[in-house]
Amino acid sequence: MKSVVHRALLLSSLNVSLIVSLIISLTLLSACSPKFDWRDARGSNAPFSILMPGKPLSDSKDMQLEGLNVKMDMLAGEVAGISFAVGSTKIDDVSKAGLIMEAMKKGMIKNIQGTPETTKNLNADMLQVHGKLRNGQPVMLVGRFLIRGPWVYQIIMLGQEKDMKQDVIDTFMTSFKSN
């Protein structure tokens, strides 16, 4: 189980094959819990809370974003064919937080082969991207990218468009609170 979350940590990196592995692994896990069971979840290191369907798993990984070494913490789960994840990292030099946030955003778009034409800004901090997995399966990503003090967050939902119901998107995305 911990390896599934470890794979979710790499959502911000540019490794498409790991995203495919994550989705397949999480899909297999979801067979046990086909309905949403919203629960309050909190970051293990980062100060946030969010409603997650089911019981999420967490892990962390050291990585490089924009030439900076960061520790990325990930809280992730999958229900009903949709992957839910919150990634967070604390930046020592807050003047670089914007660069880190943009690197997270670009990495997510690239991971699903999204383009400027398939990317739509929903509001100041949220976007929707249509793309495809490496196997050609079409997917939709809805993501929020936020800076709160020294913390940079990415709140992500990924799945087939037909599974991404607006009430589920609203519940997940609006429940995020940085503490």
Side-chain angles (χ1 to χ4, degrees):
M1 289 283 225
K2 192 168 178 109
S3 67
V4 171
V5 174
H6 180 68
R7 289 182 191 144
L9 282 169
L10 298 174
L11 285 173
S12 291
S13 73
L14 302 178
N15 194 332
V16 175
S17 64
L18 287 173
I19 289 179
V20 172
S21 297
L22 169 68
I23 290 171
I24 291 168
S25 298
L26 291 174
T27 299
L28 293 174
L29 289 174
S30 73
C32 301
S33 180
K35 66 178 188 169
F36 296 98
D37 179 18
W38 296 105
R39 302 172 186 206
D40 184 53
R42 299 187 181 278
S44 56
N45 294 315
F48 74 86
S49 64
I50 192 165
L51 291 177
M52 294 282 286
K55 186 175 179 181
L57 302 172
S58 64
D59 202 1
S60 62
K61 178 178 177 59
D62 292 327
M63 58 189 341
Q64 263 201 353
L65 292 172
E66 289 299 317
L68 295 174
N69 292 322
V70 297
K71 179 182 174 193
M72 179 70 74
D73 293 311
M74 186 65 67
L75 185 67
E78 196 274 345
V79 172
I82 304 168
S83 298
F84 299 82
V86 179
S88 59
T89 188
K90 187 174 184 181
I91 306 301
D92 293 330
D93 181 354
V94 293
S95 70
K96 306 230 178 190
L99 291 172
I100 298 300
M101 184 181 74
E102 287 303 313
M104 288 176 165
K105 193 182 301 184
K106 287 177 187 172
M108 293 302 301
I109 293 169
K110 186 174 182 178
N111 282 342
I112 63 165
Q113 303 173 48
T115 65
E117 294 78 27
T118 64
T119 301
K120 176 181 173 183
N121 289 316
L122 301 176
N123 60 41
D125 65 14
M126 192 158 71
L127 56 82
Q128 174 182 300
V129 184
H130 288 88
K132 59 186 175 181
L133 301 177
R134 192 172 178 186
N135 67 3
Q137 178 184 8
V139 292
M140 183 172 84
L141 176 141
V142 177
R144 285 182 72 193
F145 299 86
L146 307 168
I147 300 170
R148 298 292 186 262
W151 291 94
V152 181
Y153 298 98
Q154 62 180 18
I155 302 97
I156 302 295
M157 290 177 62
L158 180 70
Q160 291 189 354
E161 185 171 7
K162 67 179 179 59
D163 298 328
M164 304 276 279
K165 306 297 183 212
Q166 192 61 49
D167 63 326
V168 175
I169 294 169
D170 291 343
T171 298
F172 184 64
M173 293 293 169
T174 62
S175 71
F176 178 85
K177 306 287 185 257
S178 59
N179 304 327

